[in-house]
Amino acid sequence: LGFVDVLGTMAGWPAAAGPGGEGTYLAARRRLPLPEGPVTVEAVRLPAGDAGHATLPGDEFVLVLRGGVRFEQSGTEIRLEAGEAAVVLRGRPLAWRSADGAELIVMRCEGGGGAGAEVPVRIDTDAPLAPSNPPLAELLLGPTPQCRNHSDYRSRSGEFVCGTWASTPYHRRLMEFRHYELMRLLEGSVTFVDAAGREGRFSAGDVVLLEMGGGCSWESRNDVKKIYSTYRPAA
């Protein structure tokens, strides 16, 4: 495989039974079937009025699909509503509260060389974007796009990175992924085709996972902007 329709895959999953209190945020989850390793992607459903605390084994990129949640860690509070995202950190006590309930997608990274910040980090989708490298010329099937990026969070080793990316339209042939990437499209649409010919078209609001070891092509016919979370091992 090369890509996973995260929302389609998780549609209809029942809420996992959590013990409440200290364990709810960690236990009330459903996990995508990925190979064992430093990265997991999970759906989390917090009931209305849920609150608790935990210490995480890895950094977590948290994307809110519905509802809202409040996190507090290292003396810093972050409130997230639908469509917003943040990174909460490993090894530090984390408290949460959801007044009306929340549905979340969480990408956890237990690699990355340790936390790259002292406090949780909000993904700022309005941050100015700086020019970034386009796809390799030998992969392109048309004009070279103009790509732009802003990284809000980078783990200590630089292997786990989260932020916002945008590009003008382009068409790229299939390439093998040496990384995991969870993305939520903010603007535009993209069509992926994997090595087996499986095709998926995604537009604003959709959530897609690109799988390390898989591969697919990319075709966007309009400008695209996305929130992303990536894990690329250094070796």
Side-chain angles (χ1 to χ4, degrees), residues 3-87:
F3 64 90
V4 177
D5 176 359
V6 175
L7 300 186
T9 301
M10 294 180 169
W13 281 8
E22 183 173 338
T24 304
Y25 176 72
L26 293 178
R29 298 184 172 198
R30 299 287 185 179
R31 179 175 296 187
L32 284 178
L34 301 180
E36 289 296 321
V39 171
T40 58
V41 177
E42 299 168 310
V44 182
R45 293 182 180 174
L46 300 177
D50 189 71
H53 55 88
T55 299
L56 306 176
D59 296 336
E60 294 194 342
F61 170 84
V62 182
L63 172 64
V64 180
L65 300 178
R66 298 176 185 85
V69 63
R70 184 185 73 188
F71 291 112
E72 186 173 347
Q73 191 175 47
S74 301
T76 298
E77 180 180 278
I78 290 182
R79 297 173 182 260
L80 299 176
E81 302 297 332
E84 298 180 327
V87 178

Side-chain angles (χ1 to χ4, degrees), residues 38-216:
V39 171
T40 58
V41 177
E42 299 168 310
V44 182
R45 293 182 180 174
L46 300 177
D50 189 71
H53 55 88
T55 299
L56 306 176
D59 296 336
E60 294 194 342
F61 170 84
V62 182
L63 172 64
V64 180
L65 300 178
R66 298 176 185 85
V69 63
R70 184 185 73 188
F71 291 112
E72 186 173 347
Q73 191 175 47
S74 301
T76 298
E77 180 180 278
I78 290 182
R79 297 173 182 260
L80 299 176
E81 302 297 332
E84 298 180 327
V87 178
V88 291
L89 309 174
R90 70 186 76 188
R92 295 170 171 80
L94 173 72
W96 73 86
R97 180 177 298 276
S98 180
D100 300 318
E103 294 188 17
L104 319 171
I105 299 294
V106 174
M107 179 173 174
R108 177 193 293 168
C109 178
E110 296 186 22
E118 297 297 322
V119 297
V121 177
R122 177 184 293 275
I123 304 302
D124 181 5
T125 58
D126 294 324
L129 304 180
S132 62
N133 292 331
L136 295 174
E138 58 264 32
L139 295 175
L140 289 170
L141 298 171
T144 301
Q146 296 180 351
C147 301
R148 295 165 292 136
N149 178 70
H150 175 79
S151 298
D152 293 280
Y153 179 78
R154 186 179 298 271
S155 68
R156 192 175 301 164
S157 68
E159 295 174 300
F160 187 54
V161 181
C162 308
T164 306
W165 177 91
S167 176
T168 55
Y170 72 93
H171 190 187
R172 167 185 59 70
R173 68 178 77 248
L174 184 146
M175 61 174 283
E176 182 178 347
F177 299 130
R178 294 179 293 171
H179 65 284
Y180 282 105
E181 178 177 354
L182 183 71
M183 67 175 76
R184 179 181 186 270
L185 291 172
L186 301 174
E187 300 173 8
S189 62
V190 178
T191 298
F192 298 111
V193 181
D194 67 14
R198 185 175 62 103
E199 180 177 312
R201 185 177 186 276
F202 303 95
S203 56
D206 288 334
V207 181
V208 186
L209 176 70
L210 304 182
E211 297 181 275
M212 187 166 65
C216 62

